[in-house]
Amino acid sequence: MRDRNKILLLFLAAIVMTLPTVGVRDIITSHEGRVAQTARQMAVSGWPWNAGTVTIPDVSMRTEPDGSKRLLPDPSLPPLQVNPWIIPVISGEARLQKPPLPYWATAVSFKLFGVNEWAARVVPTMLWALLTLIVADLAAMLIHPRMAVWAAGVWISSYFGFDEFRKCMVDPYLAFFSIAAVWTSVRAMQNAECRMQNESADAKSSFCTLHSAFCILFYVFLSLAFLSKGPAAFVPVIAGIAAAWSLKRPSHWRIRYRGHIAGIFVFLLIALPWYAIVWHRFPNALLLWRYESLGGFGEKNEKPQPFWFYLPQLLLIALPWTPVWIAGIVISLRSKWRRGAALIWQGLIVLIFCLVTQKKNAYLLPATAAQTLVAVQGIRWLFAAARKDRPTPIVWKLTAILIALFAIGIAVGFPLYSRGFENDRSAKGVAELITRQLPGSGATLHFESLPPDAAFYLPMESPGPGSSNVKWVVIDDRHNTIKEVPRSFASLFPGRTVKEARRVPIDMYPYRWKVFEVTLGR
């Protein structure tokens, strides 16, 4: 009971150290911008049941010069009227590369709290806090009941998870639901083991009911992970289940089909309707989803990285617990399978993602729970080294002090760093200047060319095609390489001629964002 109260206190600490400052960082990357701007379009259209329709062009699959594949507008096809809650829309085009759950969650948050950075990130932030409870329970089942508190402490004091779950992106949703699915699977296996140790009829009936409930809950989480990032959700979940099954004795490898049959039905009921609707409207979407999900295993060559890219990154991702994480790896390799489940879980995820040509640290978010458990194995070894049976009180206290210092340092340092350095890259300031100057300039914004993180801070309304022959084009020039007016504006306006282009004198440090005024002719 005392450990349970400590875990609840750590869960509350996770909320307190995150919610007040989750909005201090501006939307500064295209990854966040795409989710936030797509959700913004949903929110401004109304609630799903009474949303106003949006006119978008129909699309066809095309291959870009860099080898990437996209569904791009096809002017030869008639335009479509769509509900943005069903067919996600960004910059006047369908956004079908990713499933809609992150957009839905962000749009609901916008409807409740207004369109701002805090509302864009509050849902993934709360998911990170909830994982404090799940990771603690996993540590109790996979390592030792007394290590649950320390697992919760390591989780809230690790920077990588803290930082990535404060971004309005798809990966935090995938990470939460895949980790939660593995947790329910381990819980079901734990329940099966308890059932075998209790032979009474009432206990068996209760355990069977509980086992079926956990099976159904597993498929609920799996379906939500599938609605977050498609088939990629199966990778961390299968890796976690494989690791958990390594703990079971052969006599426990019996599957209760009733719970799984009901669970598969629930999975199909939750996960497939959106895909079916989109596939009916956009048959080419199937090719896009295959490319997005499986193209990374060789076909997808956007920003390719070498096979070993994640290996040095793991040392940084484990901060500030890298030393005890390394110790946990050593202990897991030297111990029996029961102590190696977390290492198997993390290792399988990293190995599979190493085979994907496109690599980003955010892709490893589903492995953070396993990484925390490996670090807890290292802490347990330190406790054992301090004293063979029970560690001395000073070791417990020093570890608790370290967790508190790391957590406080992360909670305080994150907003200071965001305000002092990261927000310099934001389009928020230049967007405010454009919003003030645009009404009196006689020009309209060219929305299709806007970077998503810039579009989030600019007006949502897009004027009709004949409303103005003068367009403002916002360019993300992060490397400050554009010295003259670009000659590529003609490609932005097919069927029109560019009569004149000039630089609009809106400059803000560090001059990342440049604005050009383009005058069009027939």
Side-chain angles (χ1 to χ4, degrees), residues 144-458:
H144 191 276
R146 297 199 65 184
M147 301 310 296
V149 175
W150 302 103
V154 171
W155 176 259
I156 70 171
S157 60
S158 297
Y159 179 75
F160 179 67
F162 180 97
D163 181 51
E164 292 296 326
F165 274 91
R166 269 141 206 81
K167 295 178 180 177
C168 178
M169 299 195 307
V170 171
D171 299 286
Y173 293 88
L174 171 65
F176 175 81
F177 291 117
S178 61
I179 293 171
V182 173
W183 167 70
T184 56
S185 177
V186 176
R187 263 288 159 203
M189 294 177 187
Q190 188 90 347
N191 177 71
E193 184 173 351
C194 292
R195 175 186 175 276
M196 294 192 65
Q197 296 173 358
N198 195 323
E199 298 299 329
S200 68
D202 291 341
K204 285 185 177 181
S205 176
S206 175
F207 284 132
C208 288
T209 302
L210 193 59
H211 185 274
S212 297
F214 275 116
C215 283
I216 294 173
L217 189 58
F218 165 79
Y219 286 101
V220 169
F221 285 133
L222 182 61
S223 65
L224 295 175
F226 192 77
L227 275 176
S228 298
K229 207 170 182 179
F234 292 115
V235 172
V237 174
I238 292 174
I241 293 175
W245 271 63
S246 69
L247 304 179
K248 299 183 68 177
R249 297 191 297 271
S251 59
H252 294 169
W253 291 1
R254 291 182 292 179
I255 299 177
R256 307 196 66 85
Y257 294 102
R258 184 180 303 173
H260 287 281
I261 292 173
I264 291 173
F265 175 77
V266 170
F267 174 87
L268 297 176
L269 188 64
I270 296 175
L272 292 191
W274 180 82
Y275 285 93
I277 293 172
V278 173
W279 182 56
H280 177 71
R281 297 291 298 272
F282 300 92
N284 283 323
L286 187 63
L287 298 175
L288 178 67
W289 294 332
R290 184 186 68 83
Y291 172 73
E292 288 288 328
S293 301
L294 303 177
F297 293 95
E299 178 185 349
K300 194 172 183 177
N301 295 313
E302 304 171 52
K303 301 178 182 178
Q305 299 291 348
F307 175 84
W308 46 264
F309 173 82
Y310 285 128
L311 300 182
Q313 298 297 321
L314 288 172
L315 299 174
L316 299 176
I317 290 172
L319 289 173
W321 298 101
T322 304
V324 293
W325 173 71
I326 295 174
I329 293 176
V330 175
I331 297 302
S332 299
L333 292 174
R334 294 175 57 184
S335 303
K336 298 179 180 179
W337 284 107
R338 185 171 184 81
R339 294 188 180 181
L343 183 61
I344 295 172
W345 184 7
Q346 183 180 12
L348 286 175
I349 294 176
V350 173
L351 177 62
I352 293 172
F353 283 132
C354 280
L355 301 176
V356 179
T357 55
Q358 187 182 17
K359 298 178 175 65
K360 300 175 184 176
N361 283 348
Y363 292 170
L364 295 184
L365 268 184
T368 50
Q371 181 168 280
T372 298
L373 299 181
V374 175
V376 171
Q377 289 279 27
I379 292 177
R380 189 185 184 197
W381 172 78
L382 289 176
F383 288 166
R387 190 171 179 179
K388 188 172 182 180
D389 296 322
R390 293 183 59 188
T392 59
I394 188 64
V395 176
W396 293 97
K397 292 178 180 179
L398 286 175
T399 307
I401 290 172
L402 277 178
I403 289 174
L405 290 177
F406 288 152
I408 293 172
I410 290 171
V412 173
F414 172 79
L416 293 177
Y417 177 76
S418 297
R419 286 174 176 166
F421 297 96
E422 292 198 331
N423 285 0
D424 284 342
R425 297 183 285 159
S426 171
K428 190 173 185 178
V430 71
E432 292 174 351
L433 291 175
I434 292 173
T435 303
R436 289 198 298 266
Q437 295 190 24
L438 189 58
S441 68
T444 58
L445 279 171
H446 181 64
F447 283 81
E448 288 76 10
S449 67
L450 285 176
D453 41 329
F456 180 76
Y457 293 108
L458 287 162

Side-chain angles (χ1 to χ4, degrees), residues 29-48 83-91 93-112 114-116 119-124 127 167-174 177 224-230 274-275 278 288-289 292 452 456 460:
T29 66
S30 59
H31 304 291
E32 280 197 286
R34 282 190 286 267
V35 175
Q37 187 66 357
T38 304
R40 185 183 174 202
Q41 177 69 73
M42 292 179 178
V44 300
S45 68
W47 288 103
N83 181 338
W85 287 84
I86 299 176
I87 306 297
V89 175
I90 184 171
S91 298
E93 299 179 7
R95 171 70 181 168
L96 303 176
Q97 282 82 349
K98 297 292 188 293
L101 183 60
Y103 307 140
W104 289 342
T106 309
V108 171
S109 181
F110 284 161
K111 296 291 288 183
L112 296 176
V115 179
N116 54 70
R121 301 188 182 110
V122 66
V123 176
L127 296 181
K167 295 178 180 177
C168 178
M169 299 195 307
V170 171
D171 299 286
Y173 293 88
L174 171 65
F177 291 117
L224 295 175
F226 192 77
L227 275 176
S228 298
K229 207 170 182 179
W274 180 82
Y275 285 93
V278 173
L288 178 67
W289 294 332
E292 288 288 328
F456 180 76
M460 195 70 181

